[in-house]
Amino acid sequence: MKGKSTNMSFCFERESPALKQILLKLYHAEKPVQTDHHLYEFGSVEYYVQSSAADPHHSFLSVLTPLLSHWEIPSNGPLSPYTIQMVKDICSESAEVVEPAREGYHLTLKLNFSMIPKSKESEKVVRRIASVQAVIISSQLKEIFRGVDSHGTFQPIKLVYYPREPFYLIRQPQKITAVFPMRFKEHSDVVIATAFFQELMDVGSSAKWAKTPTCTWAPIPPPELRGESIEDLSTNGGFVSFDICSRHVEGKKLEKTVWTLLNFYAFVKNHIKCTRGLIQRRMQKRLESLVEVLHRGAVEEDNRVKRRRGGRYIRKLVSLSKFKTLKRRCSDIVNKIKRFHYRIKIHGFNRFRRRWLTLPKFSSSRGYSRLE
């Protein structure tokens, strides 16, 4: 199985989803599988998985990851002994650190899948192996927080976990301040993020959250960052700072604090995305309610018009029936009047008319001749 894949999505899980899927396929394979696979994440993290059919029980995993900082790089390699020990502790029975690492990589692990128990715990072991890159990165930050109680002030340490999104650690007496320059592409994101930062400040200042790291937001960088790159300090979202004290990195709190700081940018982006979605859904519901009101008003208006038209039609029918009745009555009267114009026959009237009502005839002595 040969391949090359790229995973550019951000996730809050420590293990790599794509790497976990490849390792689970190798673990559940019934027959030996020939594997030569390159996997890239975030554009700069590279995994190289290699297995041979001749040795079905062993596979090799090489990891190349950009370091958080080049501050105090050990002389014997890119990874400190503290980081190597942290990697060994994640799965000491099923994974072995190969020294020196494969050329071009920071770390190489020899995986023995036969040592992984055939139970529900097998997936947990594979997940721990797939989280090796997160272990490398977080161990570097843990190493810095080991001296949180030290006295004195040091130069700011620039750390880069996500590409083009650096943050700084400023060591101060009895605390370490983490400063995040915030920049966004859209103005609406700046508005949402600024409101979120102000809410963090208000909640952090309450008595209920007094034990949490103090959060401050300012539009300008703190004075400790003077002298840093102008490109890194040019922001449109201001600067968010967290004060980390010794009580925040005690015991199991160290892992949680480190992972929260590493993914703070991702948390802010996720909050902005969810807020935008919520605003859009509310606007959509509001628009639907307004459209429903307008539609209801249009329907009621149509009903009123139909009722008016229906009343007019009834009145027209009534007036038409009255007109027909009146017309019929008038025609009866006209017919009666016509009957009066007919000749009335009276016996003996013709003899009376010839005798008494006949005009006399007159004769002229002059004669008339026809003119030719």
Side-chain angles (χ1 to χ4, degrees), residues 219-261:
I220 59 176
E224 292 81 4
L225 293 183
R226 292 176 181 175
E228 296 297 327
S229 173
I230 298 179
E231 181 181 358
D232 295 336
L233 300 183
S234 299
T235 65
N236 57 356
F239 296 81
V240 181
S241 303
F242 295 95
D243 293 334
I244 310 300
C245 302
S246 58
R247 67 174 181 270
H248 302 136
V249 294
E250 293 176 349
K252 296 182 179 180
K253 295 181 181 179
L254 176 61
E255 183 71 26
K256 187 176 182 180
T257 300
V258 167
W259 193 247
T260 302
L261 292 177

Side-chain angles (χ1 to χ4, degrees), residues 27 57-58 92-95 111-118 125:
Y27 173 71
H57 299 292
H58 296 91
S92 58
E93 296 181 357
S94 56
L111 308 179
N112 188 357
F113 290 112
S114 61
M115 298 299 296
I116 300 178
K118 299 290 183 179
V125 176

Side-chain angles (χ1 to χ4, degrees), residues 61-64 78-79 84 87 97-98 101-102 105-109 132 136:
L61 171 62
S62 300
V63 183
L64 175 63
L79 303 182
I84 297 296
V87 173
V97 177
V98 178
R102 187 182 182 89
Y105 294 87
H106 292 156
L107 178 70
T108 299
L109 294 178
V132 59
I136 295 174

Side-chain angles (χ1 to χ4, degrees), residues 82-346:
Y82 179 79
T83 302
I84 297 296
Q85 185 59 42
M86 293 289 294
V87 173
K88 291 180 178 179
D89 292 341
I90 59 174
C91 45
S92 58
E93 296 181 357
S94 56
E96 177 185 354
V97 177
V98 178
E99 296 182 358
R102 187 182 182 89
E103 185 178 358
Y105 294 87
H106 292 156
L107 178 70
T108 299
L109 294 178
K110 183 180 181 180
L111 308 179
N112 188 357
F113 290 112
S114 61
M115 298 299 296
I116 300 178
K118 299 290 183 179
S119 62
K120 295 181 180 180
E121 297 293 326
S122 60
E123 186 173 351
K124 293 183 179 180
V125 176
V126 174
R127 289 179 61 183
R128 288 200 298 266
I129 298 174
S131 65
V132 59
Q133 189 264 346
V135 173
I136 295 174
I137 297 299
S138 61
S139 63
Q140 297 178 7
L141 193 55
K142 290 178 183 178
E143 215 169 348
I144 298 175
F145 281 124
R146 290 169 64 183
V148 67
D149 287 332
S150 61
H151 297 277
T153 303
F154 300 88
Q155 292 294 327
I157 304 172
K158 180 181 177 180
L159 306 176
V160 180
Y161 181 50
Y162 291 115
R164 299 179 298 277
E165 293 181 346
F167 66 99
Y168 296 87
L169 291 182
I170 304 174
R171 191 186 298 273
Q172 297 177 348
Q174 303 298 322
K175 68 177 183 180
I176 293 179
T177 302
V179 182
F180 295 87
M182 308 303 301
R183 54 181 61 88
F184 307 95
K185 294 182 179 180
E186 299 183 9
H187 178 69
S188 58
D189 295 346
V190 176
V191 175
I192 296 174
T194 303
F196 175 60
F197 300 149
Q198 293 176 350
E199 185 177 357
L200 279 180
M201 294 175 57
D202 296 339
V203 173
S205 61
S206 61
K208 182 179 179 180
W209 304 99
K211 295 183 179 180
T212 59
T214 304
C215 175
T216 57
W217 175 83
I220 59 176
E224 292 81 4
L225 293 183
R226 292 176 181 175
E228 296 297 327
S229 173
I230 298 179
E231 181 181 358
D232 295 336
L233 300 183
S234 299
T235 65
N236 57 356
F239 296 81
V240 181
S241 303
F242 295 95
D243 293 334
I244 310 300
C245 302
S246 58
R247 67 174 181 270
H248 302 136
V249 294
E250 293 176 349
K252 296 182 179 180
K253 295 181 181 179
L254 176 61
E255 183 71 26
K256 187 176 182 180
T257 300
V258 167
W259 193 247
T260 302
L261 292 177
L262 289 177
N263 290 276
F264 179 71
Y265 282 118
F267 284 129
V268 173
K269 290 181 180 180
N270 184 68
H271 173 77
I272 293 175
K273 181 179 178 181
C274 295
T275 304
R276 290 174 67 117
L278 178 62
I279 294 174
Q280 291 176 0
R281 288 193 297 271
R282 288 185 176 180
M283 292 177 63
Q284 183 67 25
K285 290 182 179 179
R286 180 61 177 170
L287 179 61
E288 291 176 356
S289 62
L290 292 176
V291 171
E292 185 179 356
V293 171
L294 294 175
H295 178 69
R296 190 185 306 116
V299 171
E300 292 177 356
E301 183 66 22
D302 292 341
N303 292 334
R304 283 197 296 270
V305 172
K306 289 181 180 179
R307 285 196 296 269
R308 290 176 181 175
R309 292 179 178 178
R312 292 177 181 176
Y313 180 73
I314 292 173
R315 287 195 295 271
K316 287 182 179 181
L317 290 177
V318 173
S319 60
L320 183 61
S321 60
K322 290 182 178 180
F323 174 75
K324 288 183 177 180
T325 304
L326 180 61
K327 184 179 180 180
R328 187 171 58 251
R329 292 181 180 178
C330 290
S331 61
D332 294 341
I333 296 173
V334 170
N335 293 332
K336 290 180 180 181
I337 293 175
K338 287 181 179 180
R339 291 193 189 100
F340 289 114
H341 288 279
Y342 296 155
R343 183 177 295 177
I344 303 174
K345 293 181 179 181
I346 303 176

